[in-house]
Amino acid sequence: MKRLLREPLSWLIALFLLLLWGLPHSEALFAWWFPRLERPLYQQESFWRLTLAHLWLVASGTLLATIVGVGGAIFATRRAGEAFRPTLETLAAAGQTIPPVAVLAIAVPVMGFGATPAIVALFLYGVLPVLQGTLAGIESVPASNREIATGLGMGPWRRLWQIELALAAPVMMAGIRTSVMINIGTAAIASTVGAASLGSPVIIGLSGFNTAYVIQGAILVALLALICDRLLERVQRWFTGYAE
């Protein structure tokens, strides 16, 4: 119990849950803080629902980025795909250079309003760290390990799964972790195209000059990012211990 109380992650989760429960009952506090605002507390949607919707967007975008990024990196590190590596890296980098708002503006006429265009934007923004992390991880595997695996009679797929990806996992996880952090912040703009997220109070607050709304949404997004970062750090440490 003492060890749990000393862990920052436990306090972050407790604070986040306390805010989710307490914010709907904090109208008096924000009314005192912002006396000129007629509606100082965001009440259009439940903060619990917005959190779940935000997590769904981040998970969907990151999952797509992970599938494409890891798959592209594996292909680029095989003999048949070496020539395509510069193209893959350029395409992934180009996805991050396009502003998310521009991606949403292009995607909405084709896909309509809602979560789908937001997930596309998150995928484009999250694929580069995954691709780079997987490339770096696979390339860091010593050639001697591959030779030993071949000497033991392992086929290409078994060697890839049990040797290369297993040893590359910590570096790959670092790329996925970066992707998640990027997407948690970027998902906040999903509300501009009708998708529910913790960015809803922020967007409505900015458009209505309501600073209280902005603060309520921004605090929750920041805490969620810290919690996810701590959780993924633990997963990365576990992979590091496994690889060693």
Side-chain angles (χ1 to χ4, degrees):
M1 184 65 179
K2 290 182 178 180
R3 183 180 178 183
L4 187 65
L5 293 175
R6 293 174 185 170
E7 175 57 52
L9 177 60
S10 302
W11 289 101
L12 288 172
I13 293 175
L15 179 59
F16 187 75
L17 293 176
L18 180 63
L19 283 174
L20 287 179
W21 173 83
L23 277 176
H25 308 285
S26 62
E27 185 171 4
L29 172 63
F30 283 97
W32 168 79
W33 193 358
F34 300 96
R36 296 184 179 180
L37 294 177
E38 293 183 5
R39 297 181 179 180
L41 181 64
Y42 181 83
Q43 296 178 320
Q44 282 87 328
E45 294 175 279
S46 163
F47 286 107
W48 290 92
R49 179 179 176 276
L50 293 178
T51 299
L52 293 176
H54 199 100
L55 288 172
W56 165 252
L57 291 175
V58 172
S60 300
T62 304
L63 178 61
L64 286 175
T66 300
I67 292 172
V68 173
V70 172
I74 291 174
F75 174 68
T77 53
R78 304 306 101 179
R79 187 171 299 176
E82 288 180 350
F84 296 94
R85 175 170 176 170
T87 303
L88 290 173
E89 290 182 310
T90 300
L91 289 174
Q96 273 204 338
T97 60
I98 304 173
V101 176
V103 175
L104 293 174
I106 296 170
V108 165
V110 179
M111 303 176 182
F113 285 90
T116 304
I119 292 173
V120 171
L122 295 179
F123 157 69
L124 292 175
Y125 254 61
V127 71
L128 180 61
V130 178
L131 177 67
Q132 291 180 330
T134 306
L135 285 171
I138 292 176
E139 290 178 340
S140 68
V141 177
S144 58
N145 290 62
R146 295 188 177 91
E147 293 171 359
I148 292 172
T150 303
L152 292 173
M154 289 186 179
W157 287 106
R158 187 181 173 192
R159 185 174 67 242
L160 171 66
W161 181 256
Q162 296 187 358
I163 302 299
E164 294 183 68
L165 292 182
L167 294 177
V171 184
M172 291 170 59
M173 196 63 223
I176 295 172
R177 180 180 168 189
T178 301
S179 180
V180 171
M181 292 302 100
I182 292 173
N183 282 347
I184 287 176
T186 307
I189 68 167
S191 300
T192 59
V193 293
S197 76
L198 287 173
S200 297
V202 177
I203 300 300
I204 294 175
L206 289 173
S207 62
F209 302 99
N210 192 319
T211 308
Y213 285 9
V214 176
I215 292 174
Q216 291 156 28
I219 288 176
L220 291 175
V221 172
L223 277 175
L224 184 62
L226 289 173
I227 290 170
C228 290
D229 185 54
R230 287 282 181 173
L231 286 172
L232 292 174
E233 181 187 25
R234 287 189 168 196
V235 175
Q236 187 178 348
R237 284 206 307 261
W238 183 87
F239 275 122
T240 301
Y242 177 78
E244 292 176 352

